[in-house]
Amino acid sequence: MSEGVEWGLHCCLVLAWLDDLAPLPVGRLAEVFDLPPEYLKKQLQPLAKAGILVSERGARGGYRLGRDPEAITLMDVVTAIEGGTDPFQCTEIRQRGAGQTGAPAEFAHPCGISMAMRKAELAWRRELASQTLAELIANTPDTAERRTRRFIERTATA
């Protein structure tokens, strides 16, 4: 999983905390976490395309949440940034090398490794789909929100 998922989730948290402010430009979001703005922008664009964020153009433009935090799951963010590809890709190496002489019936069913990985992936997806941005907010110390708000307000006047 790319670091873009972490970046996207943190930015969604910040935008939820600061929903009473104007949209935040990508440069301001990048400053909150000391990230490169152009690379962060590339991570936020798929979130906007998925409707998780809204991108507003213009001098006062920027990003804001596109849905209520209760309606955004961690899996929504992961899927938007990473796409729907499976993290484990079985390439059937068991059929190469020594496996080349195996009978076709031996390979009629997925191998135990592939089945175990699929089972783990399904559990991972279910867990991420069951957690919302609102739950992350509820479990994040209030000090993080206050610190972020002070940072944004302070750098707006600097």
Side-chain angles (χ1 to χ4, degrees):
M1 190 176 313
S2 73
E3 62 189 1
V5 171
E6 177 187 10
W7 295 11
L9 284 166
H10 278 288
C11 287
C12 285
L13 268 176
V14 167
L15 293 170
W17 289 336
L18 305 176
D19 68 338
D20 59 321
L21 300 177
L24 282 179
V26 70
R28 300 294 305 288
L29 279 168
E31 288 173 4
V32 172
F33 301 108
D34 193 24
L35 299 172
E38 285 305 311
Y39 189 65
L40 179 60
K41 183 178 179 180
K42 290 179 182 180
Q43 305 310 309
L44 299 181
Q45 288 171 340
L47 294 173
K49 185 176 180 182
I52 295 167
L53 300 180
V54 173
S55 175
E56 297 182 10
R57 296 179 185 255
R60 297 194 165 269
Y63 287 95
R64 61 181 173 79
L65 282 185
R67 303 192 300 246
D68 290 333
E70 295 81 10
I72 301 171
T73 69
L74 277 62
M75 194 69 228
D76 293 336
V77 174
V78 170
T79 302
I81 293 174
E82 294 290 310
T85 60
D86 296 335
F88 177 77
Q89 301 294 321
C90 180
T91 60
E92 281 293 335
I93 66 168
R94 66 188 178 145
Q95 294 184 41
R96 297 188 225 160
Q100 288 178 331
T101 60
E106 188 179 339
F107 307 112
H109 300 287
C111 73
I113 293 168
S114 181
M115 291 181 357
M117 296 302 275
R118 297 281 180 241
K119 185 177 176 181
E121 179 188 338
L122 182 58
W124 173 77
R125 288 182 184 278
R126 282 185 184 146
E127 185 63 26
L128 291 177
S130 74
Q131 294 183 50
T132 66
L133 186 58
E135 290 171 306
L136 283 181
I137 293 166
N139 292 316
T140 302
D142 291 342
T143 54
E145 178 181 350
R146 288 193 303 271
R147 181 179 57 248
T148 301
R149 186 174 289 279
R150 281 193 312 269
F151 180 87
I152 290 292
E153 291 169 352
R154 185 177 63 243
T155 57
T157 59

